[in-house]
Amino acid sequence: MWFKNLQIYRLPANWDMTAERLEEQLAKKPFHPCGSQDMESRGWLSPLGNEVLVHAVGGQWLVCLGFEHRLLPSAVVKQEADERAEEMAEQQGYKLGRKQLKDLREQVTQELLPRAFTRRRRMFAWIDPVSGWLVVDAASQSKAEDMLEQLRHTLDSFPLTLLRTERSPMSAMADWLAGGEAPDGFTIDQDCELRSVAEDKAAVRYARHPLEGDDVKGHLEAGKLPTRLALTFDDRISFVLTEKLEIKRLDFLDIVRDQVGEADKDDAEALFNAEFALMTGELAHLLPAVVAALGGELSAEAVVPAGITGELPRLQSDKPATVAADDPPF
């Protein structure tokens, strides 16, 4: 149980939810497989595969949202509908109109849905009710919105805000690179992405490349700003910090993983619990350190609520405007 990416949110200090109450409310919307005419189904699953929907270890909670999607490509529907339309046109002596074609495609969709393959996936969220963290293991804010939306529909009350800091990650990362020094407890690694603030949005990426050279500083002086920067915290966790205050490519180093112990590896539940306890313990140190490195949290009045009807506020686009074909994946 090791998260790969962190989308970070804040719960209020007065959030009075208990694990028992959360369990009761999640149980109202359990996961069910897709029905014969459903394109998608989602609901709450047990993180450990038993009957418990809120897995609690040491006061930390883990919840799991399950998804099932039917795989019915639109191209397949269109091909089948077009073939039927041609047969009908030959029989009738004239082509089908726009509305008839639309109705035919809907009919084909309904006929093919029960035979379509399904694909399942899971998404996890860690809740720290004491420190007020809610962290979704998702690669982007838009993907994390699926979890937030389901929580909003499930819980009686779910006050949530985006984590916002006094300094923007982009500004702070630029200073760290320009000065060649990371904040206390952190070291700068060898991956970075710089993007121009001009209209062309030109971007350059460094992978496994020293970042203290003049070329990086030259890009900064030319107006490019860092959108991603690889860091290591306390020689225990490596990760990539993004301009949207996301943590990606999270990797708990051997010094952490070795603490699980050999004895736990023979018991799946014990191993799961040990990894979850270690992970949350390490993240409980990492998150405040990241916030402190960015000047601390904004006051409650300045924080943006985490809405779910649209995309969460963003500082920049996810993708650089120009990426060479031989650029390594970041």
Side-chain angles (χ1 to χ4, degrees), residues 258-326:
D258 289 345
Q259 296 178 50
V260 173
E262 293 294 331
D264 293 325
K265 295 183 179 180
D266 296 328
D267 185 329
E269 182 173 352
L271 177 61
F272 188 96
N273 289 340
E275 290 179 346
F276 181 60
L278 275 172
M279 180 188 76
T280 55
E282 294 295 328
L283 294 182
H285 290 94
L286 172 65
L287 297 185
V290 171
V291 170
L294 297 176
E297 286 190 66
L298 285 175
S299 62
E301 293 76 12
V303 174
V304 180
I308 59 164
T309 56
E311 292 191 347
L312 299 175
R314 302 183 178 193
L315 299 178
Q316 294 284 343
S317 170
D318 278 333
K319 299 179 181 179
T322 56
V323 179
D326 58 350

Side-chain angles (χ1 to χ4, degrees), residues 171-241:
S171 171
M173 290 189 293
D175 285 349
W176 302 341
L177 286 171
E181 185 175 358
D184 290 342
F186 294 87
T187 55
I188 296 175
D189 295 335
Q190 296 189 329
D191 290 353
C192 177
E193 178 181 280
L194 301 165
R195 187 184 301 142
S196 172
V197 296
E199 291 184 3
D200 61 2
K201 301 296 181 184
V204 60
R205 289 175 175 175
Y206 291 89
R208 298 179 296 278
H209 188 285
L211 302 180
E212 63 271 11
D214 292 338
D215 53 340
V216 173
K217 294 179 181 179
H219 284 300
L220 292 170
E221 292 171 357
K224 291 186 178 69
L225 291 174
T227 56
R228 301 183 181 211
L229 179 63
L231 299 164
T232 294
F233 173 65
D234 201 23
D235 295 326
R236 300 173 69 86
I237 307 175
S238 66
F239 62 97
V240 171
L241 180 65

Side-chain angles (χ1 to χ4, degrees), residues 8-295:
I8 310 166
Y9 306 92
R10 268 309 204 178
L11 291 162
N14 60 353
W15 196 51
D16 61 353
M17 183 65 69
T18 65
E20 292 75 18
R21 285 177 52 208
L22 182 58
E23 176 82 23
E24 292 175 0
Q25 295 188 36
L26 295 187
K28 297 176 183 177
K29 294 186 179 295
F31 172 79
H32 295 291
C34 288
S36 62
Q37 296 300 315
D38 294 332
M39 282 296 296
E40 179 188 86
S41 176
R42 63 179 64 183
W44 301 106
L45 289 168
S46 167
L48 201 56
N50 51 28
E51 300 300 320
V52 180
L53 297 178
V54 180
H55 189 70
V57 178
Q60 306 298 305
W61 306 341
L62 183 70
V63 297
C64 176
L65 182 61
F67 302 83
E68 185 172 81
H69 302 267
R70 287 200 177 273
L71 305 179
L72 184 58
S74 59
V76 173
V77 174
K78 183 178 184 301
Q79 177 179 321
E80 178 66 20
D82 288 347
E83 291 176 358
R84 294 190 190 183
E86 289 180 7
E87 294 177 1
M88 295 173 66
E90 291 180 0
Q91 296 172 3
Q92 299 174 166
Y94 58 88
K95 292 184 178 180
L96 274 64
R98 182 175 300 177
K99 184 179 185 303
Q100 290 175 303
L101 281 173
K102 179 182 177 183
D103 292 341
L104 181 58
R105 286 173 183 169
E106 290 178 354
Q107 177 185 337
V108 170
T109 299
Q110 297 303 312
E111 292 177 8
L112 295 181
L113 265 180
R115 293 184 283 161
F117 289 105
T118 60
R119 180 176 60 192
R120 293 186 182 182
R121 64 184 178 93
R122 299 186 299 170
M123 181 184 297
F124 291 93
W126 160 48
I127 300 173
D128 182 345
V130 176
S131 300
W133 297 111
L134 186 142
V135 178
V136 182
D137 184 7
S140 67
Q141 291 177 348
S142 60
K143 292 184 181 298
E145 285 174 7
D146 289 336
M147 173 69 74
L148 302 188
E149 181 179 10
Q150 192 70 11
L151 283 168
R152 187 81 66 181
H153 289 166
T154 303
L155 303 185
D156 296 334
S157 175
F158 186 54
L160 191 71
T161 56
L162 290 164
L163 174 64
R164 285 289 182 257
T165 53
E166 291 288 347
R167 295 195 66 189
S168 73
M170 186 178 288
S171 171
M173 290 189 293
D175 285 349
W176 302 341
L177 286 171
E181 185 175 358
D184 290 342
F186 294 87
T187 55
I188 296 175
D189 295 335
Q190 296 189 329
D191 290 353
C192 177
E193 178 181 280
L194 301 165
R195 187 184 301 142
S196 172
V197 296
E199 291 184 3
D200 61 2
K201 301 296 181 184
V204 60
R205 289 175 175 175
Y206 291 89
R208 298 179 296 278
H209 188 285
L211 302 180
E212 63 271 11
D214 292 338
D215 53 340
V216 173
K217 294 179 181 179
H219 284 300
L220 292 170
E221 292 171 357
K224 291 186 178 69
L225 291 174
T227 56
R228 301 183 181 211
L229 179 63
L231 299 164
T232 294
F233 173 65
D234 201 23
D235 295 326
R236 300 173 69 86
I237 307 175
S238 66
F239 62 97
V240 171
L241 180 65
T242 78
E243 84 278 18
K244 290 180 283 188
L245 195 43
E246 303 165 306
I247 290 180
K248 297 192 173 186
R249 284 174 42 187
L250 187 65
D251 185 20
F252 297 86
L253 304 182
D254 289 344
I255 191 173
V256 175
R257 293 178 182 267
D258 289 345
Q259 296 178 50
V260 173
E262 293 294 331
D264 293 325
K265 295 183 179 180
D266 296 328
D267 185 329
E269 182 173 352
L271 177 61
F272 188 96
N273 289 340
E275 290 179 346
F276 181 60
L278 275 172
M279 180 188 76
T280 55
E282 294 295 328
L283 294 182
H285 290 94
L286 172 65
L287 297 185
V290 171
V291 170
L294 297 176

